[in-house]
Amino acid sequence: MKTFITAVCAWLVMTAAIAQTPTKGKVRGLVIDPTQKPSEFVTILLLKAKDSTLVKGVITNDKGQYDFDNVADGGYRVATSLVGFKKVYSEPFVIDAANPEVQVKTLTMVEEAKSLNEVKVVAKKPFIEQEIDRTVVNVENSIVASGSTALEVLEKAPGVTIDRQNDNIQLKGKAGVIVMIDGKQTYLSGQEVANLLKNTPSDNIEKIEIITNPSSKYDAAGNVGIINIRMKKNKNFGTNGTAIAGLGYGRYEKANASLNLNHRVGKINAFGNYSYFHNRRFQENSLDRVIPYNGKITYFDQSSFRPNRFDGHTFRTGVDYFINKKSTIGVLATGFINDWRQDNGINNSIIRNELGQITLKPTTDVSVKNKWSNVTGNLNYKYDFDGKGRELTTDLDYSRFNGDSYNNLSTTYTNANDSIVQPTAKVRNDMPSTIEIWAFKSDYVHPSKIGKWETGVKTSFVNSDNNLTYEDYVDGRWVFNPNQSNQFKYTENINAAYVNFAGKLNSKTSIQAGLRLENTHSRGNSVTLNKIVDRNYTNLFPTMFISRQIDTNNVLNLSFSRRIDRPNYQNLNPFRFYLDPYTYQQGNPYLKPQFTNSFQLTHVYKGKFSTTLGYSRTTDVIVNEVPGQIAEENITYVTTDNLATQNNVNLTASFPLAVTKWWNMQNNIGVNYNQYDSPYLGAQYNVSFVSYNIYTSQNFVMPKGFSAEIAGWYNSKNLYGFYEAKQMGAFSIGVQKTLMNRKATLKLNVNDPFWLNKFEGRAVYQDINFRVRARWESRIARLTFTYRFGNQNVKAARQRSTSTEAERNRAGGGNN
């Protein structure tokens, strides 16, 4: 009996509990647009009927449908939310045991027109923002940046100057800056990078980060800094793309085209990009030399005209697979095929004695072919531990470069009367080369109550092989020249580990500190000359950042870093590249890495006006185009060499001005002091120089989708190693029109319309005395059309960096 009563009581308790369990109902519905077609990507809000409190939200699918699961008992209504349309509410409904599923009546969207004075922007980020370790240009939603390109936005950044004629990007007066997109190195030549940025719409960019003193998380390579362009991260499903086509003309034709596609469905995101670039151009050079030898002087005047052609193909493709909310795995493949050719190049020389009499007139016909290709594969894994910033990322990379450089010279010798006085000399050389890079890196991020900790490891292996074959044309056949031929092999292994911490001392002061350890073992082997250079060194690279918010309008940032620059792989190769029999460029297998200690103090006013004072000291400075001379043979050459020290002091200021609602002005000014002190060629080279550069752009927003820009730059006299260069400057003008409901843009740009840009420099040191002048095809008109199609809210590929960035950057882009 007792057992029966117990069972009955238990049954009654369970029945009561079940009766009190809330119903988990479902709500479904359909949304259509004013034309009665399904509306996709509309936000649907589930609201409590009593007070319109938000319960949850979903987005309609491509059929305009939506549904809510696990809805508790109660009274509700749903509402639509989409930019450009009014909110539409449903009738109230109830979820309970009697009505566990509700089909909401179809909702029809209603367009809403708003005038500009009704739009309010709350808490908008400033265009230029200073963070503890970087300057950030907030491109997204910026009126200043709207409708332009990545390169045009980059020109507005403080401390950045861009010589459009040479396609050279400088940071604080120094070249060699690393340009990254979404944390990934572009690995292209300077011109290819500039062309890529010229064809990247600013509408796709979230922000640009300028990191002059990178933290310990980054490779210690690079004394100038990093420019990282962050693309917008979209969130929805579907397909989108961008197509770009451009034509240009200066003295010769130019063309470019690219197609970018992105598709996400379910847990898979696939993306791909292909670009083609064609450019015919020319360069004119003159080189006047005064060569003393044995008490006599020889005057050597040379002029050359070198037309050339470049055709380049680049690609990028990959897939991300979202295993679950915590794990993502991806594969990425990138590469390029570059073909650079110089046909019918002519170098005319006149050799005079000290009385000014012509003793010889050599004329050299030059033909050069340079093919360079690369393919890189990346396997990437990311694990998010708790969704609060604690994560582990791992990269495994393989990269291979293949190159073949072919050079053919034919020199005819005549006297003052143009009569042939020596047999025609013909030489040719061929240098196939390969570079293989393996790399692995892993990074771990751990947020804590006191700040964020980061740590990681990296290892890389490099193998390079260059085999130069040099031949002379003798008695009607090509003969191998063992004295000029050379095989050069280079291997390198770098192992690194780092730790980094970022946190706050108090409400106004932030700090970041890190330490990176790198061990490098390199071996350069000149097989033919039987010369081996073996180096093994370990270095520590500390970084420190302090940021102080003085008051509402003023912020001070102080930073320190130590960095290294290792020689370019090709600069280590003792191969000679001949312009003619009297002029050549040669590599240096004995190059040492350079080390730089940098300090920087930055003041930011009202989040946009910035002033930066920086100091750096570099030891074993790697200097390109170092002149040398073999006086008894009238030969002048340039090489890459190390100088003892370089001191650099730089002051940069950036001040954007809004003249009117339709006229914005950006101004950047930089002043640089460079000082070299080093023994060289038996004497002490001690020289200092002050230079400055100015950049200004005027941006005009006009009616009916038109905009215009006038931009100009000026560089004062400057010092580049042993060369004192004269001032340079130019300006450009452009007009842009948005088309097809802002999905397309058409832009016409004329660069250097009066052909003002040119280079003049002189080197005078010991017995070296020569002057260089150069002009190139800087006056160019370009027409570019950009079209964006598909769902522009497709989630883009993950922003991730690979593990071979520094190594591939040193391999170069194969462009001359």
Side-chain angles (χ1 to χ4, degrees):
M1 184 68 177
K2 183 177 181 180
T3 304
F4 175 79
I5 294 173
T6 302
V8 171
C9 290
W11 181 80
L12 291 173
V13 170
M14 286 193 309
T15 303
I18 293 172
Q20 294 174 10
T21 301
T23 304
K24 295 297 183 180
K26 293 184 179 181
V27 178
R28 294 187 176 89
L30 174 68
V31 181
I32 59 177
D33 64 19
T35 64
Q36 305 301 304
K37 294 181 180 179
S39 288
E40 56 181 339
F41 308 118
V42 178
T43 301
I44 306 299
L45 308 175
L46 180 64
L47 309 174
K48 289 185 178 181
K50 182 178 180 180
D51 54 9
S52 295
T53 301
L54 176 63
V55 178
K56 62 174 70 176
V58 295
I59 296 176
T60 61
N61 59 21
D62 57 355
K63 297 179 181 179
Q65 299 169 339
Y66 65 89
D67 60 83
F68 295 94
D69 294 324
N70 299 320
V71 180
D73 287 353
Y76 301 94
R77 65 193 308 187
V78 296
T80 64
S81 178
L82 186 66
V83 175
F85 292 84
K86 294 181 179 180
K87 270 192 176 182
V88 178
Y89 294 88
S90 72
E91 295 293 331
F93 55 87
V94 175
I95 292 289
D96 56 21
N99 299 286
E101 296 187 12
V102 173
Q103 179 72 35
V104 179
K105 185 179 178 181
T106 299
L107 301 176
T108 303
M109 302 294 291
V110 179
E111 292 186 9
E112 179 179 42
K114 290 186 177 181
S115 60
L116 291 178
N117 58 8
E118 292 177 310
V119 179
K120 295 182 180 179
V121 180
V122 180
K124 183 180 178 181
K125 290 184 178 181
F127 181 61
I128 296 176
E129 189 174 22
Q130 189 67 45
E131 295 184 358
I132 185 170
D133 62 344
R134 66 196 64 191
T135 301
V136 179
V137 182
N138 292 301
V139 181
E140 191 173 22
N141 299 323
S142 170
I143 298 176
V144 177
S146 179
S148 58
T149 69
L151 192 66
E152 292 165 338
V153 174
L154 192 57
E155 287 177 318
K156 300 172 176 62
V160 177
T161 56
I162 297 176
D163 175 359
R164 286 179 175 267
Q165 286 68 33
N166 296 313
D167 289 326
N168 183 30
I169 301 173
Q170 292 185 327
L171 184 59
K172 297 188 182 303
K174 295 186 290 184
V177 62
I178 296 174
V179 177
M180 307 170 76
I181 296 180
D182 287 342
K184 293 174 282 292
Q185 177 66 40
T186 54
Y187 313 119
L188 304 175
S189 68
Q191 183 179 13
E192 291 170 324
V193 169
N195 185 66
L196 174 66
L197 299 181
K198 287 175 187 175
N199 293 287
T200 301
S202 63
D203 295 334
N204 294 344
I205 300 173
E206 178 188 355
K207 60 185 177 181
I208 297 175
E209 300 170 330
I210 303 169
I211 313 171
T212 51
N213 277 346
S215 72
S216 298
K217 181 177 181 178
Y218 295 91
D219 286 315
N223 74 85
V224 178
I226 296 171
I227 295 175
N228 186 27
I229 300 174
R230 291 283 185 184
M231 310 304 287
K232 290 180 181 177
K233 293 188 291 184
N234 301 309
K235 301 178 181 179
N236 297 324
F237 292 77
T239 302
N240 72 359
T242 302
I244 299 174
L247 294 173
Y249 193 83
R251 184 169 181 171
Y252 301 107
E253 80 284 353
K254 297 94 175 53
N256 65 282
S258 68
L259 177 64
N260 183 78
L261 295 173
N262 200 87
H263 176 71
R264 183 177 179 188
V265 56
K267 294 184 177 182
I268 296 177
N269 190 48
F271 52 92
N273 173 271
Y274 167 77
S275 299
Y276 169 73
F277 181 54
H278 168 79
N279 188 11
R280 286 184 66 205
R281 55 191 175 185
F282 73 92
Q283 182 158 335
E284 295 176 334
N285 293 75
S286 65
L287 177 61
D288 301 332
R289 288 172 271 185
V290 180
I291 306 175
Y293 182 68
N294 281 345
K296 296 183 179 180
I297 295 178
T298 300
Y299 298 94
F300 201 116
D301 300 331
Q302 180 187 66
S303 62
S304 64
F305 179 78
R306 294 180 289 165
N308 57 76
R309 186 189 73 191
F310 174 80
D311 289 280
H313 306 262
T314 63
F315 71 90
R316 176 178 180 270
T317 184
V319 175
D320 287 330
Y321 178 68
F322 303 90
I323 302 172
N324 51 47
K325 291 183 178 180
K326 292 186 176 182
S327 298
T328 304
I329 191 170
V331 292
L332 175 69
T334 63
F336 62 77
I337 300 174
N338 292 341
D339 187 350
W340 184 89
R341 297 172 181 244
Q342 176 184 301
D343 298 318
N344 302 318
I346 299 177
N347 301 308
N348 294 308
S349 301
I350 300 177
I351 303 176
R352 296 183 174 89
N353 59 24
E354 56 189 0
L355 301 177
Q357 298 168 333
I358 297 177
T359 58
L360 196 63
K361 293 172 61 179
T363 299
T364 301
D365 295 328
V366 183
S367 177
V368 181
K369 296 179 182 179
N370 189 346
K371 293 185 177 181
W372 195 242
S373 62
N374 163 253
V375 61
T376 297
N378 166 260
L379 176 64
N380 177 276
Y381 176 76
K382 178 181 177 181
Y383 183 79
D384 188 340
F385 289 89
D386 50 19
K388 298 180 180 179
R390 190 163 69 98
E391 64 182 34
L392 175 71
T393 58
T394 302
D395 283 271
L396 177 64
D397 282 73
Y398 171 76
S399 186
R400 181 182 177 90
F401 293 82
N402 289 292
D404 195 355
S405 180
Y406 177 82
N407 197 15
N408 194 330
L409 287 80
S410 177
T411 303
T412 303
Y413 300 91
T414 61
N415 58 18
N417 298 320
D418 295 327
S419 299
I420 296 177
V421 294
Q422 294 182 28
T424 299
K426 295 182 179 181
V427 298
R428 71 182 185 185
N429 54 63
D430 184 30
M431 189 184 72
S433 60
T434 59
I435 300 174
E436 284 189 308
I437 305 170
W438 286 94
F440 169 84
K441 76 180 181 77
S442 184
D443 301 283
Y444 174 68
V445 181
H446 186 91
S448 67
K449 292 181 180 180
I450 61 173
K452 182 175 71 173
W453 294 89
E454 295 177 286
T455 186
V457 294
K458 177 183 175 181
T459 183
S460 65
F461 298 89
V462 178
N463 289 284
S464 174
D465 190 354
N466 300 273
N467 190 8
L468 169 65
T469 302
Y470 192 102
E471 296 176 308
D472 298 300
Y473 193 73
V474 181
D475 297 330
R477 64 189 182 92
W478 291 103
V479 179
F480 176 73
N481 186 335
N483 296 323
Q484 296 287 353
S485 300
N486 179 50
Q487 183 177 13
F488 179 74
K489 294 184 176 182
Y490 179 80
T491 59
E492 179 184 85
N493 171 223
I494 300 176
N495 297 299
Y498 76 91
V499 61
N500 198 67
F501 172 77
K504 285 191 173 186
L505 294 179
N506 51 52
S507 60
K508 291 188 176 182
T509 306
S510 301
I511 64 167
Q512 179 173 293
L515 184 65
R516 188 178 185 92
L517 173 70
E518 291 192 355
N519 170 261
T520 305
H521 183 199
S522 64
R523 190 173 188 268
N525 181 10
S526 181
V527 179
T528 307
L529 302 178
N530 195 26
K531 292 182 179 179
I532 296 177
V533 179
D534 194 293
R535 292 194 175 102
N536 194 332
Y537 50 93
T538 301
N539 303 100
L540 289 172
F541 301 96
T543 58
M544 172 64 77
F545 306 86
I546 302 176
S547 179
R548 176 72 175 176
Q549 182 84 39
I550 300 174
D551 54 34
T552 305
N553 293 326
N554 296 276
V555 178
L556 275 180
N557 293 327
L558 177 65
S559 63
F560 164 77
S561 69
R562 174 173 169 80
R563 306 193 66 75
I564 184 175
D565 279 286
R566 300 176 181 89
N568 183 294
Y569 305 134
Q570 298 298 343
N571 284 340
L572 293 167
N573 185 1
F575 160 69
R576 292 181 179 180
F577 176 83
Y578 280 88
L579 184 65
D580 63 28
Y582 302 94
T583 316
Y584 65 83
Q585 181 177 356
Q586 184 173 7
N588 180 2
Y590 302 101
L591 273 177
K592 296 181 290 185
Q594 68 177 21
F595 294 87
T596 302
N597 293 312
S598 299
F599 298 86
Q600 186 171 283
L601 178 65
T602 301
H603 171 251
V604 182
Y605 178 68
K606 289 189 175 181
K608 59 180 180 179
F609 300 97
S610 66
T611 306
T612 300
L613 177 64
Y615 168 75
S616 66
R617 179 176 175 84
T618 305
T619 57
D620 290 325
V621 187
I622 298 176
V623 180
N624 295 314
E625 304 290 324
V626 175
Q629 198 157 260
I630 305 175
E632 61 271 28
E633 300 179 30
N634 290 333
I635 290 177
T636 299
Y637 65 90
V638 293
T639 187
T640 303
D641 212 339
N642 294 104
L643 299 185
T645 61
Q646 178 191 8
N647 292 298
N648 173 270
V649 180
N650 58 79
L651 177 66
T652 59
S654 173
F655 44 99
L657 297 175
V659 183
T660 66
K661 291 182 179 180
W662 51 269
W663 178 10
N664 286 280
M665 181 188 302
Q666 177 68 34
N667 305 285
N668 296 329
I669 298 177
V671 180
N672 297 279
Y673 168 82
N674 276 303
Q675 188 255 339
Y676 296 91
D677 188 8
S678 176
Y680 191 71
L681 296 181
Q684 192 70 18
Y685 182 66
N686 192 328
V687 62
S688 59
F689 210 88
V690 177
S691 62
Y692 64 91
N693 58 75
I694 300 173
Y695 171 82
T696 182
S697 67
Q698 318 295 318
N699 298 274
F700 307 95
V701 179
M702 298 178 290
K704 297 183 179 180
F706 279 95
S707 59
E709 179 180 353
I710 302 175
W713 60 273
Y714 175 82
N715 295 339
S716 70
K717 290 183 178 181
N718 209 340
L719 183 68
Y720 303 99
F722 287 86
Y723 297 88
E724 181 179 318
K726 288 188 176 181
Q727 62 273 12
M728 302 171 63
F731 73 95
S732 61
I733 56 177
V735 179
Q736 178 176 276
K737 175 71 168 69
T738 59
L739 305 167
M740 305 170 68
N741 197 25
R742 299 187 66 84
K743 289 186 177 181
T745 57
L746 184 65
K747 181 175 181 180
L748 175 64
N749 177 273
V750 181
N751 193 57
D752 194 11
F754 298 115
W755 205 20
L756 302 174
N757 202 7
K758 60 182 178 179
F759 176 84
E760 291 188 33
R762 187 170 184 176
V764 180
Y765 181 74
Q766 297 294 82
D767 65 339
I768 297 172
N769 184 351
F770 63 84
R771 184 177 63 177
V772 180
R773 294 182 298 275
R775 301 205 75 174
W776 52 91
E777 192 181 30
S778 62
R779 180 168 54 188
I780 301 171
R782 291 185 175 92
L783 184 66
T784 303
F785 177 76
T786 302
Y787 177 69
R788 294 173 292 278
F789 56 90
N791 172 25
Q792 295 299 310
N793 290 322
V794 174
K795 184 174 182 179
R798 286 180 297 140
Q799 297 178 347
R800 63 180 190 264
S801 60
T802 62
S803 55
T804 58
E805 291 170 359
E807 292 77 18
R808 285 191 284 165
N809 191 51
R810 289 164 61 201
N815 221 11
N816 289 55

